[in-house]
Every structure is written in structure tokens, then in C-alpha cells.
Amino acid sequence: MSAGVNRVGLLQREMSARDVGVCVIGPSDNLRYLLGYDAMAVERLSALVVSKSGVAMILPDLDAAEFAAVNGRPPVVSWNDRRGPAAAVEEAFARLGSMDGTALVDDELPFAFFAHMRHRLAGQPAPASALLGELRMHKGAQELERIARAGELVSRGVDLAQEVAEQGLTEKALKRRIEEVMWDGGADSVDYVLVQAGANAASGHHNADDTVLRSGESVLVDIAIRLDDYFADITQQVFLGEVPDGYREHYELVRRAQEAGVQAAVVGASAHDVDAAASRPIIDAGLGEFTGPRTGHGIGVGVHEAPSVIEGNHTELVAGMVITVEPGVYFPGRYGIRIEDTVAITAEGPRRLTRGARELVAKAV
């Protein structure tokens, strides 16, 4: 969490402005955003409850002391396995004062946690994502710097992949090499390292397996990690052997599409505009049916957050937002190509925080 920023206070001001009476946050990205606390998401009830004027943290007793030892955190109401959480829930809500207004619930709150608190929530609770998503979209200078550091680390992962990928290596072996660099670089978490050889790259979320890298095929690498509480995301590829003309043409098409999308990511434009700019070159080339489901997504304390960079989303881009721009083409049974950068929206124009945009790298075998 950025030093000196009282995000619970920001949330409470927004709750007052929108007539929200209570907001319940589970062990999620939203909790890390508000408190800088990475709660262990297990079966024991852990939740932050916030009203317009009060706040309390419900935690199992084995986590309570460590949480309370950090200055500036909300008061803790603890419980243990033998007594159960019912009394802690009642005490926590009693500390909140008035809860008149709409009840909001973290979209990622486990249902079992919700069941413990449902009787204290008036009416039909609504998802908290609309309110918290808006707060999270707008990053300050410290947050942008953290994302940039994460961006350099994932970029080094691509550097490594392009350097060490070779015929005979398996997807899993290359994945492990990349993960090692991420952990050695200080990553808090290594959430996604997708390594997709040959036709596997046509399946967007193929997980690395024992597929062997072969001459005459590409290897796509997609890396997303969290460093100092913030994510960055990047995708690139390397071709092993002589590059066929068709692959090279498709790579250059995606490269142009990605550049168009990045250049469209300016203050006053919309997420729709970025998607349209990145999609147009691919559609004009007659390959619209082979493109991906959307152009990108917001990124920050979560790897996927608002705004979704997709047709029809007219969320206006303002300085401080961070999105990914990742157009691609995917040919089942042949290959897929995607180029992705994490991009900050600034008053001076789009700023790439990763080094995904590159000339095609081909290695002799």
C-alpha cells in the first residue's frame, strides 16, 4: 500500500457519497488494496467490515496478533476454532455503528464466509466490485513505479526465454527456468508462466506440459507476477529455426496491431477505442475470426481488474490507469501469436511498463 494513503478512509467517503451502509471485504485483492494485508484464504473466516464511520477486522486468533502488530490497521475481533466465529461477527458489526444504506459484498468473498454474516446485511447485497474497482483503477505515482519494477522483472523473464529456448527442451523445463528468475528477482507471487510450443500457442490458456520444443515452431511465453504488491503482465515469443513467410507476416501484423492499440491508449479515449484500434489491422487483414476475445484488461494489485479493454466498454481512460494491450491471432493446429505490454495512461501519452513490443526473434537450430 502506498505510504500515507488511508484507503479505508477513501472507501468510507465513497460509501457516504453513494449511500452504502456497509462493505464486507474477504481475503482478496481488495483487502490487499485497502490494508496491504495478504490474508491466507483458507476455511477460517477472515473479513474486513466497513461502515461509513466504523471498521473492524475479523480474524482467527492464530492470525490476529501478527495483524494487530502493524500500526494503523483497524481493530481486530478474533475467534478460535473451539468457539467458532459467531460471537466475533456480532462484536465486529456492533462496532460499525449505523449501517443504513446498501450492503456491498466483495465479489471474491467465499460463500461460507458470507453465510456467517448474511443476517447482519440488510436487503439484497450488491457486488463491491463497482465501487472498489473504480478506486483501484486510479494509480498514484508510487503505484506506477511499483508496476514498472514488476514490468522490468517480467521483461527479464522474456529475455531469458528468448535466450535459452532450444530444440529438445520441454515446456515445463522452460517454465521452471523462468519461474526461478522471477523468484530470484524478488517476486511476491509467480501467478502465470505460460509456455506454449507450436500449436499449443493457439490455445490461449494452455499450461506448460511435457511438449518438446521443436525446430520450425514458435514458443509463446506469457508471464504475470506480483512484485511489491503490484502486478505486471507480458507476452512474447521466439521462433526456433527458419521462419516461414506466413508466420513472419502474421507476427508483423500483430506487432502493428499492438502498436496501434498502445498509441490509442491516451487520456480521454475509452477502453473501446483501444480495442478498436488494436483489432482494426487484424480485421482489415481478413483474420477477424482468428483474433482473441478482447484486447486487454486493467492491472494493478490484481492481475485482472477494471477496465476490460473490449468492444463496447466506454470507460474513459484517465491519467493513472494501467491496462494491458495484447492483441493476437490464433490458428488452431498451427500456432498462435500474441504481443502484450503493460501500459500506463499518462498526461504525456501511453507509457509502456514492460518490454513486450519487439522485433521477431528467431534462433538457428
Side-chain angles (χ1 to χ4, degrees), residues 125-206:
S129 54
L131 194 162
L132 282 160
E134 288 184 25
L135 292 178
R136 285 169 52 179
M137 275 196 294
H138 305 283
K139 279 79 172 176
Q142 289 185 20
E143 294 173 280
L144 293 177
E145 180 55 35
R146 291 183 183 186
I147 298 172
R149 290 199 296 270
E152 177 54 29
L153 182 54
V154 295
S155 298
R156 295 206 303 268
V158 168
D159 294 342
L160 175 80
Q162 292 183 333
E163 176 185 348
V164 305
E166 62 182 3
Q167 182 175 268
L169 197 66
T170 66
E171 290 178 341
K172 280 184 177 178
L174 180 54
K175 175 182 179 178
R176 285 193 291 268
R177 293 286 300 274
I178 297 168
E179 288 175 334
E180 182 179 359
V181 169
M182 297 300 99
W183 290 120
D184 288 348
D188 301 335
S189 65
V190 179
D191 294 69
Y192 303 101
V193 176
L194 303 180
V195 177
Q196 303 171 341
N200 289 342
S203 177
H205 287 166
H206 167 79

Side-chain angles (χ1 to χ4, degrees), residues 32 182-183 186-191 225-230:
R32 285 197 301 105
M182 297 300 99
W183 290 120
D188 301 335
S189 65
V190 179
D191 294 69
I225 62 96
R226 178 161 55 93
L227 175 67
D228 199 11
D229 286 335
Y230 283 82

Side-chain angles (χ1 to χ4, degrees), residues 48-343:
L48 178 72
V49 291
V50 184
S51 69
K52 298 168 188 174
S53 59
V55 58
M57 186 74 198
I58 305 169
L59 281 175
D61 56 2
L62 70 167
D63 296 325
E66 184 177 50
F67 178 90
V70 178
N71 290 333
R73 283 180 171 171
V76 181
V77 180
S78 65
W79 63 276
N80 64 40
D81 289 346
R82 295 185 185 281
R83 294 195 309 268
V89 169
E90 296 306 314
E91 181 181 345
F93 277 86
R95 294 186 181 201
L96 298 186
S98 172
M99 294 186 293
D100 292 341
T102 304
L104 299 183
V105 173
D106 193 336
D107 302 44
E108 299 178 39
L109 185 77
F111 181 80
F113 292 9
F114 175 74
H116 284 300
M117 295 177 280
R118 178 65 183 94
H119 67 288
R120 298 306 306 262
L121 304 175
Q124 180 63 42
S129 54
L131 194 162
L132 282 160
E134 288 184 25
L135 292 178
R136 285 169 52 179
M137 275 196 294
H138 305 283
K139 279 79 172 176
Q142 289 185 20
E143 294 173 280
L144 293 177
E145 180 55 35
R146 291 183 183 186
I147 298 172
R149 290 199 296 270
E152 177 54 29
L153 182 54
V154 295
S155 298
R156 295 206 303 268
V158 168
D159 294 342
L160 175 80
Q162 292 183 333
E163 176 185 348
V164 305
E166 62 182 3
Q167 182 175 268
L169 197 66
T170 66
E171 290 178 341
K172 280 184 177 178
L174 180 54
K175 175 182 179 178
R176 285 193 291 268
R177 293 286 300 274
I178 297 168
E179 288 175 334
E180 182 179 359
V181 169
M182 297 300 99
W183 290 120
D184 288 348
D188 301 335
S189 65
V190 179
D191 294 69
Y192 303 101
V193 176
L194 303 180
V195 177
Q196 303 171 341
N200 289 342
S203 177
H205 287 166
H206 167 79
N207 284 314
D209 57 24
D210 292 323
T211 299
V212 176
L213 279 55
R214 301 188 303 179
S215 176
E217 293 184 344
S218 62
V219 184
L220 183 149
V221 175
D222 185 339
I223 308 169
I225 62 96
R226 178 161 55 93
L227 175 67
D228 199 11
D229 286 335
Y230 283 82
F231 279 94
D233 200 353
I234 190 172
T235 306
Q236 246 298 335
Q237 38 266 300
V238 57
F239 200 94
L240 303 181
E242 186 173 349
V243 183
D245 289 342
Y247 183 92
R248 189 180 300 276
E249 291 169 5
H250 290 148
Y251 182 89
E252 291 303 322
L253 172 63
V254 174
R255 190 179 174 200
R256 291 195 304 273
Q258 204 248 5
E259 180 65 19
V262 170
Q263 294 308 315
V266 297
V267 172
S270 69
H272 171 98
D273 295 333
V274 176
D275 177 77
S279 300
R280 179 53 53 193
I282 297 173
I283 293 170
D284 287 349
L287 298 177
E289 65 181 295
F290 298 106
T291 193
R294 64 177 179 179
T295 291
H297 51 83
I299 190 168
V301 295
V303 67
H304 288 169
E305 56 184 49
S308 180
V309 183
I310 193 170
E311 180 182 7
N313 183 1
H314 296 284
T315 300
E316 182 177 346
L317 303 181
V318 301
M321 286 185 178
V322 182
I323 61 173
T324 67
V325 180
E326 47 181 303
V329 290
Y330 307 92
F331 303 100
R334 297 173 63 195
Y335 52 77
I337 300 171
R338 181 168 65 255
I339 299 175
E340 176 183 18
D341 274 305
T342 298
V343 179

